[in-house]
Amino acid sequence: MKINHLTSAEENLMKLFWKMDSFYLKDIMEQHPEPKPHQNTVSTYLKILVEKGYLSTEKEGRIFKYNVLVPFEEYKKFLLKELSHNFFNNSGKEILGFLISENLISQKDLKDFNINIETNSTNIKEPEFEYANEVLNPKKDKKKTKDKEKKKKKKKDPEK
């Protein structure tokens, strides 16, 4: 099953639908928090979500009963994979590193998964790669060195 992206409005409605699983339009209108959208607006979103494959319909007399087709867990999986692909080079390690650095996951959380990581973000220093830069960019470094030497000579011998 291919899962499509949802707009924020569609996602907000789906959060309500995932709690109900199976419902009628009147159930949505009763359950939706204030300010309640107009019934026609909700009907339009229901039609869009059916077209996107998130909901199915069953006609019961003159009204439709809606059923959720995409479980919440599947949608979460889809979003996490998209996030990983678009922002973290498909790397779970990068995601975990980000969660730790932003304090979105705690030591206790990690211990619940039997993961123990010493975090001391204030003492983390970026390594210096002077030698690597010299090897990778020899012309730039040589030019800088020559310029520095010329300046030193000018300061020592201002008469020349």
Side-chain angles (χ1 to χ4, degrees):
M1 168 193 309
K2 171 133 172 50
I3 298 178
N4 297 310
H5 288 276
L6 294 177
T7 65
S8 59
E10 293 165 351
E11 196 171 282
N12 286 335
L13 282 171
M14 280 304 298
K15 286 177 186 175
L16 180 64
F17 303 159
W18 280 312
K19 290 177 187 172
M20 295 190 281
D21 196 47
S22 180
F23 51 89
Y24 298 96
L25 178 60
K26 68 178 177 89
D27 298 329
I28 299 166
M29 298 310 294
E30 290 170 4
Q31 297 288 323
H32 199 286
E34 293 292 338
K36 294 185 187 291
H38 192 276
Q39 189 169 328
N40 291 348
T41 304
V42 175
S43 293
T44 301
Y45 278 113
L46 287 169
K47 181 181 174 193
I48 291 168
L49 290 166
V50 167
E51 288 172 2
K52 285 188 173 185
Y54 280 85
L55 302 174
S56 68
T57 58
E58 294 174 37
K59 188 153 181 143
E60 294 184 0
R62 296 180 350 175
I63 59 173
F64 287 100
K65 182 177 184 179
Y66 296 89
N67 298 298
V68 174
L69 293 178
V70 178
F72 182 61
E73 289 301 314
E74 287 297 314
Y75 185 67
K76 278 198 312 190
K77 235 187 279 187
F78 165 74
L79 285 181
L80 189 57
K81 285 180 181 178
E82 287 285 307
L83 184 72
S84 174
H85 175 72
N86 292 329
F87 297 101
F88 296 100
N89 301 314
N90 285 328
S91 169
K93 183 178 176 182
E94 282 190 36
I95 292 172
L96 185 59
F98 179 78
L99 292 172
I100 291 167
S101 70
E102 293 296 315
N103 296 320
L104 296 171
I105 192 166
S106 69
Q107 281 290 335
K108 183 189 175 301
D109 295 335
L110 293 173
K111 286 179 182 174
D112 290 345
F113 290 103
N114 294 323
I115 301 171
N116 190 12
I117 298 175
E118 293 289 325
T119 55
N120 199 357
S121 59
T122 55
N123 294 336
I124 296 174
K125 268 186 151 179
E126 285 292 319
E128 294 181 20
F129 299 108
E130 290 177 29
Y131 181 72
N133 286 333
E134 203 173 296
V135 171
L136 295 172
N137 304 313
K139 292 180 182 177
K140 291 179 184 176
D141 291 340
K142 284 182 184 176
K143 186 178 180 183
K144 286 180 185 177
T145 307
K146 286 180 183 178
D147 290 342
K148 286 180 184 177
E149 288 175 10
K150 285 180 184 177
K151 286 180 183 178
K152 284 181 184 177
K153 284 182 182 178
K154 285 182 181 179
K155 287 181 182 178
K156 288 181 183 177
D157 300 321
E159 295 174 5
K160 290 185 179 179

Coordinates of all heavy atoms in Angstrom, one line a residue, residues 20-86:
M20 N -11.1 7.0 16.5 CA -12.5 6.4 16.4 C -12.5 5.2 15.5 O -13.4 4.3 15.7 CB -13.4 7.5 15.7 CG -13.6 8.7 16.6 SD -15.0 9.7 16.0 CE -14.1 10.6 14.7
D21 N -11.6 5.0 14.6 CA -11.4 3.9 13.7 C -12.6 3.7 12.7 O -12.3 3.6 11.5 CB -11.2 2.6 14.5 CG -10.7 1.5 13.6 OD1 -9.7 1.7 12.8 OD2 -11.2 0.4 13.6
S22 N -13.8 3.8 13.1 CA -15.0 3.7 12.3 C -16.0 4.7 12.7 O -16.3 4.8 13.9 CB -15.5 2.3 12.4 OG -16.6 2.1 11.5
F23 N -16.5 5.5 11.8 CA -17.4 6.6 12.2 C -18.2 7.2 11.1 O -18.1 6.8 9.9 CB -16.4 7.8 12.7 CG -15.4 8.1 11.7 CD1 -15.6 9.1 10.7 CD2 -14.2 7.5 11.7 CE1 -14.6 9.3 9.8 CE2 -13.2 7.8 10.8 CZ -13.4 8.7 9.8
Y24 N -19.2 8.0 11.5 CA -20.1 8.7 10.6 C -19.7 10.2 10.7 O -19.0 10.6 11.6 CB -21.5 8.5 11.0 CG -22.0 7.1 10.9 CD1 -22.0 6.3 12.1 CD2 -22.5 6.5 9.8 CE1 -22.5 5.0 12.1 CE2 -22.9 5.2 9.7 CZ -22.9 4.5 10.9 OH -23.3 3.2 10.8
L25 N -20.2 11.0 9.7 CA -19.9 12.4 9.7 C -20.4 13.1 11.0 O -19.7 13.9 11.6 CB -20.6 13.1 8.5 CG -20.4 14.6 8.4 CD1 -19.0 15.0 8.3 CD2 -21.2 15.1 7.2
K26 N -21.6 12.6 11.5 CA -22.1 13.3 12.7 C -21.2 13.0 13.9 O -21.1 13.8 14.8 CB -23.5 12.8 13.0 CG -23.7 11.3 13.4 CD -25.1 11.0 13.7 CE -25.3 9.5 14.0 NZ -25.1 9.1 15.3
D27 N -20.5 11.8 13.9 CA -19.6 11.5 15.0 C -18.4 12.4 15.0 O -17.9 12.8 16.1 CB -19.0 10.0 14.9 CG -20.1 9.0 14.9 OD1 -21.1 9.2 15.6 OD2 -20.0 7.9 14.3
I28 N -17.9 12.8 13.8 CA -16.8 13.7 13.7 C -17.2 15.1 14.3 O -16.5 15.7 15.0 CB -16.3 13.8 12.2 CG1 -15.9 12.5 11.7 CG2 -15.2 14.9 12.1 CD1 -15.8 12.5 10.2
M29 N -18.4 15.5 13.9 CA -18.9 16.8 14.3 C -19.0 16.9 15.8 O -18.7 17.9 16.4 CB -20.2 17.2 13.6 CG -20.1 17.3 12.1 SD -18.7 18.3 11.5 CE -19.2 19.9 12.0
E30 N -19.4 15.8 16.4 CA -19.6 15.7 17.9 C -18.2 15.7 18.6 O -18.0 16.3 19.6 CB -20.4 14.5 18.3 CG -21.8 14.6 17.9 CD -22.6 13.2 18.1 OE1 -22.0 12.3 18.6 OE2 -23.8 13.2 17.7
Q31 N -17.3 14.9 18.0 CA -16.0 14.7 18.6 C -14.9 15.8 18.4 O -14.0 16.0 19.2 CB -15.3 13.4 18.1 CG -16.1 12.1 18.5 CD -16.0 11.8 20.0 OE1 -15.0 12.0 20.6 NE2 -17.1 11.4 20.5
H32 N -15.1 16.6 17.3 CA -14.1 17.6 17.0 C -14.1 18.7 18.0 O -15.1 19.2 18.4 CB -14.4 18.2 15.6 CG -13.3 18.9 15.0 ND1 -12.9 20.1 15.4 CD2 -12.5 18.5 14.0 CE1 -11.8 20.5 14.7 NE2 -11.6 19.5 13.8
P33 N -12.9 19.1 18.5 CA -12.8 20.1 19.5 C -13.2 21.5 18.9 O -13.2 21.7 17.7 CB -11.4 20.1 19.9 CG -10.6 19.5 18.8 CD -11.6 18.6 18.1
E34 N -13.5 22.4 19.8 CA -13.9 23.8 19.3 C -12.6 24.5 18.8 O -11.5 24.2 19.4 CB -14.5 24.6 20.5 CG -15.8 24.1 20.9 CD -16.9 24.3 19.9 OE1 -16.8 25.2 19.0 OE2 -17.9 23.6 20.0
P35 N -12.7 25.4 17.9 CA -13.8 25.7 17.1 C -14.1 24.6 16.0 O -13.1 24.2 15.4 CB -13.4 27.0 16.4 CG -11.9 27.0 16.4 CD -11.5 26.2 17.5
K36 N -15.3 24.2 15.9 CA -15.7 23.1 15.0 C -15.7 23.7 13.6 O -16.2 24.7 13.3 CB -17.0 22.6 15.4 CG -17.0 21.8 16.7 CD -18.3 21.2 17.0 CE -18.4 20.6 18.4 NZ -17.6 19.5 18.6
P37 N -15.1 22.9 12.6 CA -15.3 23.3 11.2 C -16.7 23.1 10.7 O -17.5 22.3 11.3 CB -14.3 22.4 10.5 CG -14.2 21.2 11.4 CD -14.4 21.7 12.8
H38 N -17.0 23.8 9.6 CA -18.3 23.6 9.0 C -18.4 22.1 8.5 O -17.4 21.5 8.1 CB -18.5 24.6 7.9 CG -19.9 24.7 7.4 ND1 -20.5 23.8 6.5 CD2 -20.9 25.5 7.8 CE1 -21.7 24.1 6.3 NE2 -22.0 25.1 7.0
Q39 N -19.6 21.6 8.5 CA -19.9 20.2 8.1 C -19.4 20.0 6.6 O -18.9 19.0 6.3 CB -21.3 19.9 8.2 CG -21.7 18.5 8.0 CD -23.1 18.1 8.4 OE1 -23.6 18.7 9.3 NE2 -23.7 17.1 7.7
N40 N -19.6 21.0 5.8 CA -19.2 20.9 4.4 C -17.7 20.8 4.2 O -17.1 20.1 3.4 CB -19.7 22.1 3.5 CG -21.2 22.1 3.4 OD1 -21.8 21.1 3.7 ND2 -21.7 23.2 2.9
T41 N -16.9 21.5 5.1 CA -15.5 21.4 5.1 C -15.0 20.0 5.5 O -14.1 19.5 4.8 CB -14.9 22.5 6.1 OG1 -15.4 23.8 5.8 CG2 -13.4 22.5 6.1
V42 N -15.6 19.5 6.5 CA -15.3 18.1 6.9 C -15.6 17.1 5.8 O -14.8 16.2 5.5 CB -16.0 17.8 8.3 CG1 -15.7 16.3 8.6 CG2 -15.6 18.7 9.4
S43 N -16.7 17.3 5.2 CA -17.1 16.4 4.1 C -16.1 16.4 2.9 O -15.8 15.4 2.4 CB -18.5 16.8 3.5 OG -19.5 16.5 4.5
T44 N -15.6 17.6 2.6 CA -14.6 17.8 1.6 C -13.3 17.0 2.0 O -12.7 16.3 1.2 CB -14.3 19.3 1.3 OG1 -15.5 19.9 1.0 CG2 -13.3 19.4 0.3
Y45 N -12.9 17.2 3.2 CA -11.7 16.5 3.7 C -11.9 15.0 3.7 O -11.0 14.2 3.4 CB -11.2 17.0 5.1 CG -10.4 18.3 5.0 CD1 -10.9 19.4 5.5 CD2 -9.2 18.3 4.4 CE1 -10.2 20.6 5.4 CE2 -8.4 19.4 4.3 CZ -9.0 20.6 4.8 OH -8.2 21.8 4.8
L46 N -13.1 14.5 4.0 CA -13.4 13.1 4.0 C -13.2 12.6 2.6 O -12.6 11.5 2.4 CB -14.8 12.8 4.6 CG -14.9 13.0 6.1 CD1 -16.4 12.9 6.4 CD2 -14.2 11.9 6.8
K47 N -13.8 13.3 1.6 CA -13.7 12.9 0.2 C -12.2 12.8 -0.2 O -11.8 11.9 -0.9 CB -14.4 13.9 -0.7 CG -14.4 13.5 -2.1 CD -15.2 14.6 -2.9 CE -15.0 14.3 -4.4 NZ -15.4 15.4 -5.3
I48 N -11.4 13.8 0.2 CA -10.0 13.8 -0.2 C -9.2 12.6 0.5 O -8.4 12.0 -0.2 CB -9.3 15.2 0.3 CG1 -9.9 16.3 -0.6 CG2 -7.8 15.1 0.2 CD1 -9.5 17.7 -0.1
L49 N -9.5 12.4 1.7 CA -8.9 11.3 2.4 C -9.3 9.9 1.9 O -8.5 9.0 1.9 CB -9.1 11.4 3.9 CG -8.4 12.5 4.6 CD1 -9.0 12.8 6.0 CD2 -6.9 12.3 4.6
V50 N -10.5 9.8 1.3 CA -10.9 8.6 0.7 C -10.1 8.4 -0.6 O -9.6 7.3 -0.9 CB -12.4 8.6 0.4 CG1 -12.8 7.4 -0.6 CG2 -13.2 8.4 1.7
E51 N -10.0 9.5 -1.4 CA -9.2 9.5 -2.6 C -7.7 9.2 -2.4 O -7.1 8.5 -3.2 CB -9.3 10.8 -3.4 CG -10.7 11.1 -4.0 CD -10.9 12.5 -4.5 OE1 -9.9 13.3 -4.5 OE2 -12.0 12.8 -5.0
K52 N -7.2 9.6 -1.3 CA -5.8 9.4 -1.0 C -5.6 8.0 -0.4 O -4.4 7.5 -0.2 CB -5.2 10.4 0.0 CG -5.0 11.8 -0.6 CD -4.3 12.7 0.4 CE -3.9 14.0 -0.3 NZ -3.1 14.8 0.7
G53 N -6.7 7.3 -0.1 CA -6.5 5.9 0.4 C -6.4 5.8 1.9 O -6.1 4.7 2.4
Y54 N -6.7 6.8 2.6 CA -6.6 6.7 4.1 C -7.9 6.2 4.7 O -7.9 5.7 5.8 CB -6.3 8.1 4.6 CG -4.8 8.4 4.6 CD1 -4.3 9.0 3.4 CD2 -4.0 8.2 5.6 CE1 -2.9 9.3 3.3 CE2 -2.6 8.4 5.6 CZ -2.1 9.0 4.4 OH -0.8 9.3 4.3
L55 N -9.0 6.4 4.0 CA -10.3 6.0 4.5 C -11.1 5.3 3.4 O -10.8 5.4 2.2 CB -11.2 7.3 4.9 CG -10.6 8.3 5.9 CD1 -11.6 9.5 6.0 CD2 -10.5 7.6 7.2
S56 N -12.0 4.4 3.9 CA -12.9 3.8 2.9 C -14.4 4.1 3.4 O -14.6 4.6 4.5 CB -12.8 2.3 3.0 OG -13.2 1.8 4.2
T57 N -15.3 3.9 2.5 CA -16.7 4.3 2.8 C -17.6 3.1 2.6 O -17.3 2.2 1.7 CB -17.2 5.4 1.9 OG1 -17.1 5.0 0.5 CG2 -16.5 6.7 2.1
E58 N -18.6 3.0 3.4 CA -19.7 2.0 3.2 C -21.0 2.8 3.3 O -21.3 3.6 4.2 CB -19.7 1.1 4.4 CG -18.6 0.2 4.6 CD -18.7 -0.7 5.8 OE1 -19.8 -1.1 6.2 OE2 -17.6 -0.9 6.5
K59 N -21.8 2.6 2.3 CA -23.1 3.3 2.2 C -24.1 2.6 3.1 O -24.3 1.4 2.9 CB -23.6 3.5 0.8 CG -24.8 4.4 0.7 CD -24.9 5.0 -0.6 CE -26.1 5.9 -0.6 NZ -26.0 7.1 -1.3
E60 N -24.7 3.3 4.0 CA -25.7 2.7 4.9 C -27.0 3.6 4.8 O -27.1 4.6 5.4 CB -25.3 2.6 6.4 CG -24.1 1.7 6.6 CD -23.7 1.5 8.0 OE1 -24.4 2.2 8.9 OE2 -22.8 0.8 8.3
G61 N -27.9 3.2 3.9 CA -29.0 4.0 3.6 C -28.6 5.2 2.9 O -28.0 5.1 1.8
R62 N -28.9 6.4 3.5 CA -28.6 7.6 2.8 C -27.2 8.2 3.3 O -26.8 9.2 2.8 CB -29.7 8.7 3.1 CG -31.0 8.3 2.5 CD -32.0 9.3 2.7 NE -31.6 10.3 3.7 CZ -32.3 11.4 4.0 NH1 -33.5 11.6 3.5 NH2 -31.9 12.3 4.9
I63 N -26.6 7.6 4.3 CA -25.4 8.1 4.9 C -24.2 7.2 4.7 O -24.4 6.0 4.4 CB -25.5 8.5 6.4 CG1 -25.9 7.2 7.2 CG2 -26.5 9.6 6.6 CD1 -25.9 7.4 8.7
F64 N -23.0 7.8 4.8 CA -21.8 7.0 4.7 C -21.2 6.7 6.0 O -21.1 7.6 6.9 CB -20.8 7.7 3.8 CG -21.1 7.7 2.3 CD1 -21.7 8.9 1.8 CD2 -20.9 6.6 1.5 CE1 -22.0 8.9 0.4 CE2 -21.2 6.7 0.2 CZ -21.8 7.8 -0.4
K65 N -20.6 5.5 6.1 CA -19.8 5.1 7.3 C -18.4 5.1 6.8 O -18.1 4.5 5.7 CB -20.3 3.8 7.8 CG -19.5 3.3 9.1 CD -20.0 2.0 9.6 CE -19.3 1.7 10.9 NZ -19.8 0.4 11.5
Y66 N -17.5 5.7 7.5 CA -16.1 5.8 7.1 C -15.3 4.8 8.0 O -15.5 4.7 9.2 CB -15.6 7.2 7.3 CG -16.3 8.2 6.3 CD1 -17.4 8.8 6.7 CD2 -15.7 8.4 5.1 CE1 -18.1 9.7 5.8 CE2 -16.4 9.2 4.2 CZ -17.5 9.9 4.6 OH -18.2 10.7 3.7
N67 N -14.3 4.2 7.4 CA -13.4 3.3 8.1 C -11.9 3.7 7.8 O -11.6 4.0 6.6 CB -13.6 1.8 7.7 CG -14.9 1.4 8.0 OD1 -15.3 1.3 9.1 ND2 -15.7 1.0 7.0
V68 N -11.1 3.7 8.8 CA -9.7 4.0 8.6 C -9.0 2.8 7.9 O -9.1 1.7 8.4 CB -9.0 4.3 10.0 CG1 -7.5 4.5 9.8 CG2 -9.6 5.5 10.6
L69 N -8.2 3.1 6.8 CA -7.5 2.1 6.1 C -6.0 2.0 6.5 O -5.4 1.0 6.5 CB -7.6 2.3 4.6 CG -9.0 2.0 4.0 CD1 -9.0 2.3 2.5 CD2 -9.5 0.6 4.3
V70 N -5.4 3.2 6.7 CA -4.0 3.3 7.1 C -3.9 3.5 8.6 O -4.3 4.5 9.2 CB -3.3 4.5 6.4 CG1 -1.9 4.7 6.8 CG2 -3.5 4.4 4.9
P71 N -3.3 2.4 9.3 CA -3.2 2.5 10.7 C -2.2 3.6 11.1 O -1.3 4.0 10.3 CB -2.6 1.2 11.1 CG -2.9 0.3 9.9 CD -2.9 1.2 8.7
F72 N -2.4 4.1 12.3 CA -1.5 5.2 12.8 C 0.0 4.8 12.8 O 0.8 5.6 12.4 CB -2.0 5.6 14.2 CG -1.2 6.8 14.8 CD1 -1.2 8.0 14.2 CD2 -0.5 6.6 16.0 CE1 -0.4 9.0 14.7 CE2 0.3 7.6 16.5 CZ 0.3 8.9 15.9
E73 N 0.2 3.6 13.2 CA 1.6 3.1 13.2 C 2.3 3.1 11.8 O 3.4 3.4 11.7 CB 1.7 1.7 13.8 CG 1.4 1.6 15.3 CD 2.4 2.5 16.2 OE1 3.6 2.4 15.9 OE2 1.9 3.2 17.0
E74 N 1.5 2.7 10.8 CA 2.0 2.8 9.5 C 2.3 4.2 9.0 O 3.3 4.4 8.3 CB 1.0 2.1 8.5 CG 0.9 0.6 8.6 CD 2.2 -0.1 8.3 OE1 2.8 0.2 7.2 OE2 2.6 -1.0 9.0
Y75 N 1.5 5.1 9.4 CA 1.7 6.5 9.0 C 3.0 7.0 9.7 O 3.8 7.8 9.1 CB 0.5 7.4 9.3 CG 0.6 8.8 8.9 CD1 0.7 9.1 7.5 CD2 0.7 9.8 9.8 CE1 0.8 10.4 7.1 CE2 0.9 11.2 9.4 CZ 0.9 11.4 8.0 OH 1.0 12.7 7.6
K76 N 3.1 6.7 11.0 CA 4.3 7.1 11.8 C 5.6 6.6 11.1 O 6.6 7.3 11.0 CB 4.3 6.6 13.2 CG 3.5 7.5 14.1 CD 3.7 7.3 15.6 CE 3.7 5.9 16.1 NZ 3.8 5.8 17.6
K77 N 5.5 5.3 10.7 CA 6.7 4.7 10.0 C 7.0 5.4 8.7 O 8.2 5.7 8.4 CB 6.3 3.2 9.7 CG 7.3 2.2 10.2 CD 7.0 0.8 9.7 CE 5.9 0.2 10.5 NZ 5.7 -1.2 10.1
F78 N 6.0 5.7 8.0 CA 6.1 6.5 6.7 C 6.8 7.8 7.0 O 7.7 8.2 6.3 CB 4.8 6.7 6.0 CG 4.7 7.7 5.0 CD1 5.3 7.4 3.7 CD2 4.1 8.9 5.2 CE1 5.3 8.4 2.7 CE2 4.1 9.9 4.2 CZ 4.7 9.6 2.9
L79 N 6.3 8.6 8.0 CA 6.9 9.9 8.3 C 8.3 9.8 8.7 O 9.1 10.6 8.3 CB 6.0 10.6 9.4 CG 4.7 11.2 8.9 CD1 4.0 11.8 10.1 CD2 4.8 12.1 7.8
L80 N 8.6 8.8 9.6 CA 10.0 8.7 10.1 C 10.9 8.3 8.9 O 12.1 8.8 8.9 CB 10.0 7.6 11.2 CG 11.4 7.5 11.9 CD1 11.7 8.9 12.5 CD2 11.3 6.5 13.0
K81 N 10.5 7.4 8.0 CA 11.3 7.1 6.9 C 11.6 8.3 6.0 O 12.7 8.5 5.5 CB 10.7 6.0 6.1 CG 10.9 4.6 6.8 CD 10.3 3.5 6.0 CE 10.4 2.2 6.7 NZ 9.8 1.1 6.0
E82 N 10.5 9.1 5.8 CA 10.7 10.3 5.0 C 11.6 11.3 5.7 O 12.5 11.9 5.0 CB 9.3 11.0 4.8 CG 8.4 10.3 3.9 CD 8.8 10.5 2.4 OE1 8.9 11.6 2.0 OE2 9.0 9.5 1.7
L83 N 11.5 11.5 7.0 CA 12.4 12.4 7.7 C 13.8 11.9 7.6 O 14.7 12.7 7.4 CB 11.9 12.4 9.2 CG 12.6 13.3 10.1 CD1 12.3 14.8 9.8 CD2 12.3 13.0 11.5
S84 N 14.0 10.6 7.8 CA 15.3 10.0 7.7 C 15.9 10.2 6.4 O 17.1 10.6 6.2 CB 15.3 8.5 8.0 OG 16.5 7.9 7.9
H85 N 15.2 10.0 5.3 CA 15.6 10.1 4.0 C 16.0 11.6 3.6 O 17.0 11.9 3.0 CB 14.6 9.6 3.0 CG 14.9 9.8 1.5 ND1 15.9 9.1 0.9 CD2 14.4 10.7 0.6 CE1 16.0 9.5 -0.3 NE2 15.1 10.5 -0.5
N86 N 15.1 12.5 4.0 CA 15.2 13.9 3.6 C 16.2 14.7 4.4 O 16.8 15.7 3.9 CB 13.9 14.6 3.6 CG 12.9 14.1 2.5 OD1 13.4 13.7 1.5 ND2 11.7 14.1 2.8

